[in-house]
Amino acid sequence: MPYKTSPSSDPASAWLRTRPCPCCGSDTKREIQTLGSFQFYCDAEPPTVVDVRTVVCKECWALFMDPVYTDHGSAALFELAGQSYGSEPGRHQEQITFLKRSCKSWPPEEIVDLGCYDGGFLRAAGDSTHRVGIDPDRRAIGRARISDPGGSYRIGSLESFALDDSPSLVSMIHVLEHLRDPIAALAKIFEAGSQDTQVFVEVPLLENHQPGDIHGFFSPQHLTHFTRTSLQRVVKESGWKILAWEEVRDYNGCRVLLGKAKV
């Protein structure tokens, strides 16, 4: 069933809201570019149209989207985006190789994959680990449950998720850039996790953007446009320490393993 657009007489008010800098909390910012009249992947009448604005923080120079999608707007965007996102074949095995090299031990007792999509990463992790996947896309979760009946998959928000216990590993593969408050998400995992909990993050970096149209990096689906400096700041502000860092430039993925103490 197609996503129902808001009946509001001013649809933008239901889809967008302002926010401070996601890296330092400052409200001083300057506009970099605006993608005017971005339409939400459908031909609804009236069409759902918003202006997507990229700004730079005047305090820490982080790049981010402001105004940003509300819960309603985010849910609609990703449902309507459908198959326009997901991992390329073979990437999950590369990620597993990085984790085998970087984690304290492999396989972990349990992996919670936030933004699991159709469960591809968890399937690649193997049956010897307890697999939990959380994603707001109900269609993707349905496919994950069919393809990986041994895993546990549930529909849930990536902004207000809950962890049932202290997992060995939490993965967030191309998730942080889609969140309104990446520091809060990482801090929540920090509080819920044990001393041994580790977090695997992968995001695109501005420094590794392929030559060509820069608008491809400032995607309407990305709420924070990370650089090396802003990613490091978000990690530090959330309480975590960086244990391993790897930049994969052929498709722009920066892989980082986080822990509570250096090893």
Side-chain angles (χ1 to χ4, degrees):
M1 177 181 295
Y3 198 93
K4 290 182 173 60
T5 57
S6 169
S8 169
S9 59
D10 180 15
S13 66
W15 297 76
L16 297 175
R17 68 171 177 83
T18 60
R19 67 165 173 170
C21 173
C23 298
C24 74
S26 172
D27 280 317
T28 60
K29 64 200 78 169
R30 178 170 61 86
E31 181 179 339
I32 296 295
Q33 70 165 13
T34 296
L35 175 61
S37 300
F38 171 71
Q39 186 168 330
F40 270 49
Y41 297 96
C42 67
D43 295 324
E45 290 294 342
T48 302
V49 174
V50 298
D51 290 340
V52 176
R53 186 176 68 159
T54 300
V55 301
V56 61
C57 174
K58 289 186 176 182
E59 297 295 328
C60 73
W61 304 106
L63 292 160
F64 58 99
M65 178 180 165
D66 182 63
V68 75
Y69 305 117
T70 62
D71 287 342
H72 178 82
S74 293
L77 175 67
F78 282 98
E79 180 167 345
L80 295 170
Q83 296 293 326
S84 67
Y85 60 99
S87 294
E88 300 173 9
R91 295 298 178 189
H92 294 319
Q93 287 301 326
E94 294 177 7
Q95 292 152 357
I96 296 298
T97 298
F98 169 79
L99 291 170
K100 286 180 178 179
R101 183 171 67 247
S102 306
C103 286
K104 298 176 183 178
S105 62
W106 187 269
E109 183 177 343
E110 180 183 47
I111 301 176
V112 176
D113 189 13
L114 295 172
C116 66
Y117 191 52
D118 62 2
F121 171 73
L122 290 176
R123 292 195 301 276
D127 293 335
S128 58
T129 186
H130 180 56
R131 303 177 302 286
V132 178
I134 302 172
D135 198 281
D137 188 330
R138 69 176 187 273
R139 293 186 179 93
I141 287 292
R143 295 195 297 273
R145 288 168 176 167
I146 293 172
S147 60
D148 184 18
S152 175
Y153 294 92
R154 65 176 184 263
I155 301 168
S157 168
L158 301 181
E159 297 278 359
S160 57
F161 58 87
L163 299 179
D164 298 330
D165 50 23
S166 297
S168 311
L169 180 68
V170 177
S171 54
M172 304 179 77
I173 302 171
H174 289 271
V175 167
L176 276 189
E177 66 266 31
H178 298 287
L179 303 184
R180 289 190 298 266
D181 195 338
I183 292 177
L186 288 174
K188 182 183 295 188
I189 301 170
F190 189 92
E191 291 299 321
S194 71
Q195 188 63 30
D196 295 325
T197 296
Q198 295 183 315
V199 178
F200 171 49
V201 169
E202 184 173 303
V203 299
L205 292 181
L206 179 59
E207 290 93 338
N208 294 335
H209 174 68
Q210 297 296 318
D213 187 358
I214 195 63
H215 296 285
F217 182 80
F218 294 131
S219 163
Q221 298 181 19
H222 292 176
L223 309 189
T224 304
H225 310 297
F226 285 107
T227 62
R228 295 186 184 106
T229 299
S230 60
L231 178 58
Q232 290 166 2
R233 179 163 191 153
V234 163
V235 169
K236 181 179 179 180
E237 293 294 326
S238 66
W240 294 98
K241 296 188 181 300
I242 296 173
L243 306 180
W245 180 293
E246 176 182 77
E247 296 181 22
V248 185
R249 298 180 182 178
D250 63 342
Y251 90 123
N252 199 351
C254 178
R255 297 168 184 157
V256 184
L257 184 68
L258 311 179
K260 293 194 172 183
K262 292 183 178 180
V263 293

